[in-house]
Amino acid sequence: MTVLEPAGNAAARRTPPGSETPALLYAVAAVSALGGLLFGYDTGIISSALLDLGHDLHLSTGYREVVVSAILVGAMVGAPVSGVLSARWGRRPVIMAVAAVFALGALASALAPTAASLTLARLVLGLAVGAASNTVPVYIAETAPPAIRGRLMVLFQLMVAIGQLISYLVGYALAGPGGWRWMFGLAVIPAVILAVGMLPLPESPRWLVGRGDQKGAHAVLTRLRSPDTDITTEVHDIAALCRAEQNAPRSLRGTVRVLCSGRLRPALLIALGIAAFSQLTGINAMVYYAPTLLTDAGFDGSVALLTGIGIGVMLVLAGITGALSVDRIGRRRLLLWLMPASGAAMAVLALAFLLPESDVQRWTVVLALFAYIFLNGAGMQTVVWLLAPEVLPLSVRGPATSLATTTVWGFDLLIAVTALTAVQTFGLTATLLTYAAMNGLCWVFVFRRVPEPRGRTLEDIERSLRPRAT
């Protein structure tokens, strides 16, 4: 995800705080954020579907991990490829193409006759998931005025959580032999709505300026801004930003050389470190496998699915909490406050599985799981998509942020292909305690390395992260 702002947020100062925001701007954010809902639904639905499709298609533990992981492999490809395509063809047509791929992948998953065909269909879905995670936030960021940009961008993250909640509700309602096909197929509906809804929406004004079409960008911004906004000056600010980006490396070799340079190393370490810890702390192991793990631990199947719905509710509440807190409390402080509590909740969950089976034990498991999901979601899962664009230098923000996004999906894949195997090999308690320890290591990393971007310009953050000459 790449967030680009005019230098010093000058446009924000020229937009009166009480100005009326056109309805079209909210339509842009709401319709494009359906990509986030599809992102959340298609990554979350496998949790419920896995209980029945594992039996229907006779999947081993290893192959269950393959089916879950296929979407993540696709996402690792879809994220960087979408960045290249949207830079060339524009954000709007790429999002429409992503909607078509979502629909195709959902339909193919629903009709898959074998485990191999289902894996391939989930791989196609992953291309759309990765592309949505990289392109939709960029489109929202580049159409929104700075004064409400953060609020509208968080809408995408909230829609991801809502999509996951819907997936758990649908999974519970359609549980049973063959129900997993309907679970996958229903995702076609929001995909079609996204494709049709994008038709009347404008192209990103920043992309238009980058292509030399300042007149077109002026026309778009006139539709997206209140009448008293200084559109001409905003277009000039965007053009100045585009000229600054001309210093960015143009070749793959030049990009790699800059990414490996010493001056970028502190910022890149922060971006990639947060990306890795967002998965190593265990959130998606719970999202993907919680019903399976609870069923294997002796919970009734319906109870496990209901617990999945609770996870979805916690994700939505965490998204709302994170949205309200990240600008008031700050990114760094939010992580330092919540990650120790997140690790403690995961440790309680791990140790609860050692207790004798009883109502107290079951309630301890469920409440600790919910607490972990909320705390990790409100902290790490809120910050991970915001921090990289804020700390990475403008000249390489595009490729460096794509690298951070790919790192998120890469470590997500690592967790997906190892979680069930680790539980079988080392036991559930040992595996969960490892995730708890990762929450602690994340706190140390944030304390030692991560600056606080809140209230600072992107230029100030960039200067502060440059290595000092010795």
Side-chain angles (χ1 to χ4, degrees):
M1 181 179 68
T2 306
V3 181
L4 297 170
E5 301 189 26
N9 284 339
R13 291 193 296 269
R14 279 185 297 275
T15 303
S19 299
E20 180 181 353
T21 302
L24 178 63
L25 179 60
Y26 290 109
V28 166
V31 172
S32 58
L34 282 173
L37 185 143
L38 284 159
F39 171 166
Y41 184 89
D42 284 318
T43 54
I45 195 62
I46 193 64
S47 177
S48 302
L50 202 60
L51 293 178
D52 289 316
L53 74 83
H55 297 299
D56 292 353
L57 299 182
H58 310 290
L59 300 183
S60 65
T61 296
Y63 215 104
R64 291 185 186 197
E65 291 176 331
V66 169
V67 170
V68 171
S69 304
I71 197 170
L72 307 176
V73 174
M76 290 180 65
V77 177
V81 169
S82 68
V84 174
L85 294 178
S86 65
R88 180 168 184 176
W89 300 108
R91 309 341 182 184
R92 178 176 167 273
V94 169
I95 293 174
M96 294 175 67
V98 165
V101 176
F102 266 125
L104 176 64
L107 190 60
S109 298
L111 300 176
T114 64
S117 58
L118 177 60
T119 301
L120 182 60
R122 297 284 291 172
L123 186 68
V124 172
L125 270 176
L127 296 174
V129 168
S133 70
N134 201 48
T135 307
V136 173
V138 172
Y139 179 63
I140 295 174
E142 293 180 348
T143 53
I148 60 171
R149 178 175 290 137
R151 187 192 319 163
L152 294 183
M153 287 180 64
V154 168
L155 174 63
F156 175 79
Q157 300 163 22
L158 184 58
M159 290 293 277
V160 172
I162 291 173
Q164 290 173 323
L165 173 58
I166 293 174
S167 75
Y168 283 115
L169 291 170
V170 169
Y172 181 76
L174 298 178
W180 58 272
R181 295 188 182 276
W182 286 100
M183 296 180 198
F184 290 140
L186 286 175
V188 172
I189 297 174
V192 171
I193 295 174
L194 173 60
V196 174
M198 288 297 299
L199 288 174
L201 299 185
E203 181 53 82
S204 157
R206 192 201 172 281
W207 184 82
L208 291 172
V209 171
R211 304 290 287 187
D213 187 7
Q214 294 193 21
K215 184 177 180 181
H218 193 286
V220 168
L221 286 171
T222 300
R223 299 171 61 197
L224 293 175
R225 299 292 185 265
S226 58
D228 48 3
T229 301
D230 187 349
I231 303 296
T232 300
T233 303
E234 183 169 354
V235 172
H236 288 164
D237 283 342
I238 297 173
L241 200 82
C242 290
R243 287 193 295 271
E245 285 186 317
Q246 291 176 357
N247 297 324
R250 298 298 177 185
S251 67
L252 177 62
R253 179 178 299 177
T255 300
V256 172
R257 184 171 60 251
V258 173
L259 290 177
C260 295
S261 66
R263 74 176 182 85
L264 185 61
R265 193 171 298 130
L268 197 61
L269 176 64
I270 293 167
L272 299 188
I274 290 296
F277 276 119
S278 73
Q279 303 304 312
L280 292 174
T281 49
I283 185 75
N284 279 330
M286 300 296 101
V287 170
Y288 299 148
Y289 296 121
T292 300
L293 295 174
L294 292 175
T295 301
D296 292 345
F299 283 70
D300 180 79
S302 61
V303 173
L305 288 173
L306 281 172
T307 302
I309 294 175
I311 290 175
V313 172
M314 288 300 108
L315 287 169
V316 172
L317 293 177
I320 295 171
T321 302
L324 295 175
S325 303
V326 72
D327 282 328
R328 297 181 182 182
I329 297 176
R331 287 76 155 143
R332 183 176 188 270
R333 187 180 299 175
L334 193 64
L335 290 174
L336 292 177
W337 284 4
L338 296 187
M339 294 314 295
S342 171
M346 179 64 85
V348 171
L349 175 63
L351 297 174
F353 284 105
L354 298 179
L355 299 175
E357 290 190 19
S358 65
D359 287 342
V360 172
Q361 185 257 359
R362 284 187 285 271
W363 275 109
T364 301
V365 167
V366 170
L367 293 178
L369 176 60
F370 288 174
Y372 163 76
I373 293 291
F374 175 80
L375 293 164
N376 192 280
M380 176 57 75
Q381 306 312 313
T382 297
V383 171
V384 64
W385 299 109
L386 296 177
L387 198 61
E390 291 181 318
V391 301
L392 292 168
L394 172 64
S395 61
V396 289
R397 187 169 295 148
T401 305
S402 292
L403 179 59
T405 302
T406 304
T407 300
V408 171
W409 292 117
F411 277 90
D412 194 354
L413 174 63
L414 174 66
I415 294 299
V417 299
T418 59
L420 292 182
T421 300
V423 169
Q424 285 194 342
T425 305
F426 305 108
L428 183 55
T429 295
T431 302
L432 298 185
L433 284 176
T434 301
Y435 296 147
M438 287 296 172
N439 282 264
L441 288 176
C442 177
W443 185 91
V444 174
F445 177 80
V446 172
F447 182 77
R448 293 179 59 87
R449 295 287 184 178
V450 177
E452 178 53 71
R454 182 174 71 100
R456 301 169 65 187
T457 66
L458 300 182
E459 294 76 20
D460 179 43
I461 297 169
E462 181 175 340
R463 284 192 296 269
S464 71
L465 290 173
R466 290 173 184 164
R468 296 178 181 176
T470 56

